[in-house]
Amino acid sequence: MNSEKIIMIVSAQINPNQKEALDGYLEAAGPMFKAAGGTPINKYKIEDQLVGSHPTSLVSIMEFPSKESLLKVFESEDYKFILPLRDKAFLNLDVYISSL
């Protein structure tokens, strides 16, 4: 088992017509990530895009104690239950993992 801390980077375009879905997703997912040892590093609202064709309105960065702790969240039944909310809340969503 790898005990190296990792960073989760989320790049998302929020669906402006689905505020309730976004609120519901964040209300449910936030405690799941926290329970897995997730610590928010920062959140950025994107003002303008200089290069690329994949629109983004938000970048969020969190640190986790291990890759395994983060993957357990995404693989859990509780997280799978909120996927419909996630799919409504975001027009685009990319999640990356990086070692510290």
PDB file of all heavy atoms in Angstrom, residues 42-58:
ATOM      1  N   ASN A  42      -7.073  24.912  -2.082  1.00  0.00           N
ATOM      2  CA  ASN A  42      -7.594  26.157  -2.603  1.00  0.00           C
ATOM      3  C   ASN A  42      -8.640  25.885  -3.668  1.00  0.00           C
ATOM      4  O   ASN A  42      -8.724  24.784  -4.208  1.00  0.00           O
ATOM      5  CB  ASN A  42      -6.493  27.050  -3.183  1.00  0.00           C
ATOM      6  CG  ASN A  42      -6.738  28.514  -2.894  1.00  0.00           C
ATOM      7  OD1 ASN A  42      -7.876  28.954  -2.782  1.00  0.00           O
ATOM      8  ND2 ASN A  42      -5.665  29.266  -2.758  1.00  0.00           N
ATOM      9  N   LYS A  43      -9.419  26.921  -3.953  1.00  0.00           N
ATOM     10  CA  LYS A  43     -10.449  26.872  -4.981  1.00  0.00           C
ATOM     11  C   LYS A  43     -10.311  28.156  -5.785  1.00  0.00           C
ATOM     12  O   LYS A  43     -10.127  29.232  -5.209  1.00  0.00           O
ATOM     13  CB  LYS A  43     -11.825  26.808  -4.318  1.00  0.00           C
ATOM     14  CG  LYS A  43     -12.934  26.363  -5.216  1.00  0.00           C
ATOM     15  CD  LYS A  43     -14.257  26.344  -4.494  1.00  0.00           C
ATOM     16  CE  LYS A  43     -14.278  25.290  -3.405  1.00  0.00           C
ATOM     17  NZ  LYS A  43     -15.571  25.145  -2.758  1.00  0.00           N
ATOM     18  N   TYR A  44     -10.387  28.046  -7.106  1.00  0.00           N
ATOM     19  CA  TYR A  44     -10.190  29.200  -7.975  1.00  0.00           C
ATOM     20  C   TYR A  44     -11.346  29.323  -8.954  1.00  0.00           C
ATOM     21  O   TYR A  44     -11.697  28.355  -9.626  1.00  0.00           O
ATOM     22  CB  TYR A  44      -8.895  29.054  -8.786  1.00  0.00           C
ATOM     23  CG  TYR A  44      -7.671  28.805  -7.944  1.00  0.00           C
ATOM     24  CD1 TYR A  44      -7.239  27.509  -7.688  1.00  0.00           C
ATOM     25  CD2 TYR A  44      -6.951  29.861  -7.418  1.00  0.00           C
ATOM     26  CE1 TYR A  44      -6.118  27.275  -6.910  1.00  0.00           C
ATOM     27  CE2 TYR A  44      -5.818  29.635  -6.651  1.00  0.00           C
ATOM     28  CZ  TYR A  44      -5.411  28.340  -6.397  1.00  0.00           C
ATOM     29  OH  TYR A  44      -4.295  28.121  -5.624  1.00  0.00           O
ATOM     30  N   LYS A  45     -11.927  30.524  -9.053  1.00  0.00           N
ATOM     31  CA  LYS A  45     -12.896  30.820 -10.110  1.00  0.00           C
ATOM     32  C   LYS A  45     -12.092  31.246 -11.326  1.00  0.00           C
ATOM     33  O   LYS A  45     -11.216  32.111 -11.226  1.00  0.00           O
ATOM     34  CB  LYS A  45     -13.829  31.952  -9.703  1.00  0.00           C
ATOM     35  CG  LYS A  45     -14.938  31.537  -8.797  1.00  0.00           C
ATOM     36  CD  LYS A  45     -15.892  32.701  -8.608  1.00  0.00           C
ATOM     37  CE  LYS A  45     -17.098  32.253  -7.828  1.00  0.00           C
ATOM     38  NZ  LYS A  45     -18.068  33.352  -7.671  1.00  0.00           N
ATOM     39  N   ILE A  46     -12.365  30.649 -12.463  1.00  0.00           N
ATOM     40  CA  ILE A  46     -11.642  30.969 -13.684  1.00  0.00           C
ATOM     41  C   ILE A  46     -12.323  32.160 -14.354  1.00  0.00           C
ATOM     42  O   ILE A  46     -13.523  32.133 -14.610  1.00  0.00           O
ATOM     43  CB  ILE A  46     -11.587  29.757 -14.632  1.00  0.00           C
ATOM     44  CG1 ILE A  46     -10.958  28.554 -13.916  1.00  0.00           C
ATOM     45  CG2 ILE A  46     -10.840  30.099 -15.913  1.00  0.00           C
ATOM     46  CD1 ILE A  46      -9.571  28.779 -13.362  1.00  0.00           C
ATOM     47  N   GLU A  47     -11.549  33.187 -14.638  1.00  0.00           N
ATOM     48  CA  GLU A  47     -12.084  34.410 -15.229  1.00  0.00           C
ATOM     49  C   GLU A  47     -12.013  34.411 -16.753  1.00  0.00           C
ATOM     50  O   GLU A  47     -12.877  34.959 -17.418  1.00  0.00           O
ATOM     51  CB  GLU A  47     -11.330  35.620 -14.691  1.00  0.00           C
ATOM     52  CG  GLU A  47     -11.510  35.802 -13.204  1.00  0.00           C
ATOM     53  CD  GLU A  47     -10.678  36.942 -12.646  1.00  0.00           C
ATOM     54  OE1 GLU A  47     -10.105  37.727 -13.435  1.00  0.00           O
ATOM     55  OE2 GLU A  47     -10.595  37.037 -11.417  1.00  0.00           O
ATOM     56  N   ASP A  48     -10.961  33.809 -17.304  1.00  0.00           N
ATOM     57  CA  ASP A  48     -10.777  33.843 -18.751  1.00  0.00           C
ATOM     58  C   ASP A  48      -9.930  32.649 -19.163  1.00  0.00           C
ATOM     59  O   ASP A  48      -9.106  32.170 -18.388  1.00  0.00           O
ATOM     60  CB  ASP A  48     -10.077  35.151 -19.158  1.00  0.00           C
ATOM     61  CG  ASP A  48     -10.344  35.527 -20.605  1.00  0.00           C
ATOM     62  OD1 ASP A  48     -11.041  34.789 -21.317  1.00  0.00           O
ATOM     63  OD2 ASP A  48      -9.828  36.576 -21.013  1.00  0.00           O
ATOM     64  N   GLN A  49     -10.120  32.174 -20.365  1.00  0.00           N
ATOM     65  CA  GLN A  49      -9.369  31.038 -20.897  1.00  0.00           C
ATOM     66  C   GLN A  49      -8.467  31.534 -22.019  1.00  0.00           C
ATOM     67  O   GLN A  49      -8.945  32.120 -22.988  1.00  0.00           O
ATOM     68  CB  GLN A  49     -10.338  29.976 -21.412  1.00  0.00           C
ATOM     69  CG  GLN A  49      -9.655  28.730 -21.915  1.00  0.00           C
ATOM     70  CD  GLN A  49     -10.657  27.621 -22.196  1.00  0.00           C
ATOM     71  OE1 GLN A  49     -11.799  27.670 -21.759  1.00  0.00           O
ATOM     72  NE2 GLN A  49     -10.217  26.624 -22.925  1.00  0.00           N
ATOM     73  N   LEU A  50      -7.168  31.296 -21.875  1.00  0.00           N
ATOM     74  CA  LEU A  50      -6.205  31.749 -22.878  1.00  0.00           C
ATOM     75  C   LEU A  50      -5.946  30.708 -23.956  1.00  0.00           C
ATOM     76  O   LEU A  50      -5.779  31.048 -25.117  1.00  0.00           O
ATOM     77  CB  LEU A  50      -4.884  32.126 -22.202  1.00  0.00           C
ATOM     78  CG  LEU A  50      -4.963  33.277 -21.201  1.00  0.00           C
ATOM     79  CD1 LEU A  50      -3.604  33.498 -20.550  1.00  0.00           C
ATOM     80  CD2 LEU A  50      -5.453  34.545 -21.863  1.00  0.00           C
ATOM     81  N   VAL A  51      -5.892  29.434 -23.566  1.00  0.00           N
ATOM     82  CA  VAL A  51      -5.585  28.353 -24.494  1.00  0.00           C
ATOM     83  C   VAL A  51      -6.497  27.176 -24.160  1.00  0.00           C
ATOM     84  O   VAL A  51      -6.801  26.930 -22.999  1.00  0.00           O
ATOM     85  CB  VAL A  51      -4.105  27.915 -24.363  1.00  0.00           C
ATOM     86  CG1 VAL A  51      -3.803  26.740 -25.275  1.00  0.00           C
ATOM     87  CG2 VAL A  51      -3.165  29.075 -24.640  1.00  0.00           C
ATOM     88  N   GLY A  52      -6.909  26.448 -25.166  1.00  0.00           N
ATOM     89  CA  GLY A  52      -7.690  25.236 -24.945  1.00  0.00           C
ATOM     90  C   GLY A  52      -9.114  25.373 -25.426  1.00  0.00           C
ATOM     91  O   GLY A  52      -9.596  26.465 -25.718  1.00  0.00           O
ATOM     92  N   SER A  53      -9.793  24.238 -25.497  1.00  0.00           N
ATOM     93  CA  SER A  53     -11.159  24.233 -26.002  1.00  0.00           C
ATOM     94  C   SER A  53     -12.130  23.584 -25.020  1.00  0.00           C
ATOM     95  O   SER A  53     -13.262  23.317 -25.372  1.00  0.00           O
ATOM     96  CB  SER A  53     -11.207  23.493 -27.340  1.00  0.00           C
ATOM     97  OG  SER A  53     -10.746  22.173 -27.176  1.00  0.00           O
ATOM     98  N   HIS A  54     -11.672  23.325 -23.809  1.00  0.00           N
ATOM     99  CA  HIS A  54     -12.509  22.685 -22.802  1.00  0.00           C
ATOM    100  C   HIS A  54     -12.824  23.723 -21.729  1.00  0.00           C
ATOM    101  O   HIS A  54     -12.029  23.939 -20.819  1.00  0.00           O
ATOM    102  CB  HIS A  54     -11.752  21.495 -22.209  1.00  0.00           C
ATOM    103  CG  HIS A  54     -12.621  20.519 -21.503  1.00  0.00           C
ATOM    104  ND1 HIS A  54     -12.106  19.516 -20.751  1.00  0.00           N
ATOM    105  CD2 HIS A  54     -13.956  20.370 -21.418  1.00  0.00           C
ATOM    106  CE1 HIS A  54     -13.077  18.793 -20.233  1.00  0.00           C
ATOM    107  NE2 HIS A  54     -14.208  19.308 -20.633  1.00  0.00           N
ATOM    108  N   PRO A  55     -13.974  24.408 -21.823  1.00  0.00           N
ATOM    109  CA  PRO A  55     -14.288  25.495 -20.888  1.00  0.00           C
ATOM    110  C   PRO A  55     -14.262  25.045 -19.429  1.00  0.00           C
ATOM    111  O   PRO A  55     -14.707  23.949 -19.098  1.00  0.00           O
ATOM    112  CB  PRO A  55     -15.699  25.914 -21.287  1.00  0.00           C
ATOM    113  CG  PRO A  55     -15.900  25.393 -22.657  1.00  0.00           C
ATOM    114  CD  PRO A  55     -15.052  24.168 -22.766  1.00  0.00           C
ATOM    115  N   THR A  56     -13.748  25.912 -18.583  1.00  0.00           N
ATOM    116  CA  THR A  56     -13.651  25.654 -17.155  1.00  0.00           C
ATOM    117  C   THR A  56     -14.071  26.909 -16.406  1.00  0.00           C
ATOM    118  O   THR A  56     -13.685  28.010 -16.791  1.00  0.00           O
ATOM    119  CB  THR A  56     -12.205  25.267 -16.770  1.00  0.00           C
ATOM    120  OG1 THR A  56     -11.857  24.063 -17.453  1.00  0.00           O
ATOM    121  CG2 THR A  56     -12.050  25.040 -15.287  1.00  0.00           C
ATOM    122  N   SER A  57     -14.852  26.749 -15.365  1.00  0.00           N
ATOM    123  CA  SER A  57     -15.225  27.895 -14.545  1.00  0.00           C
ATOM    124  C   SER A  57     -14.684  27.789 -13.127  1.00  0.00           C
ATOM    125  O   SER A  57     -14.714  28.747 -12.377  1.00  0.00           O
ATOM    126  CB  SER A  57     -16.751  28.063 -14.509  1.00  0.00           C
ATOM    127  OG  SER A  57     -17.385  26.891 -14.036  1.00  0.00           O
ATOM    128  N   LEU A  58     -14.153  26.597 -12.765  1.00  0.00           N
ATOM    129  CA  LEU A  58     -13.679  26.373 -11.411  1.00  0.00           C
ATOM    130  C   LEU A  58     -12.552  25.349 -11.411  1.00  0.00           C
ATOM    131  O   LEU A  58     -12.629  24.333 -12.100  1.00  0.00           O
ATOM    132  CB  LEU A  58     -14.838  25.840 -10.539  1.00  0.00           C
ATOM    133  CG  LEU A  58     -14.506  25.396  -9.137  1.00  0.00           C
ATOM    134  CD1 LEU A  58     -14.261  26.622  -8.250  1.00  0.00           C
ATOM    135  CD2 LEU A  58     -15.629  24.559  -8.559  1.00  0.00           C
TER     136      LEU A  58
END
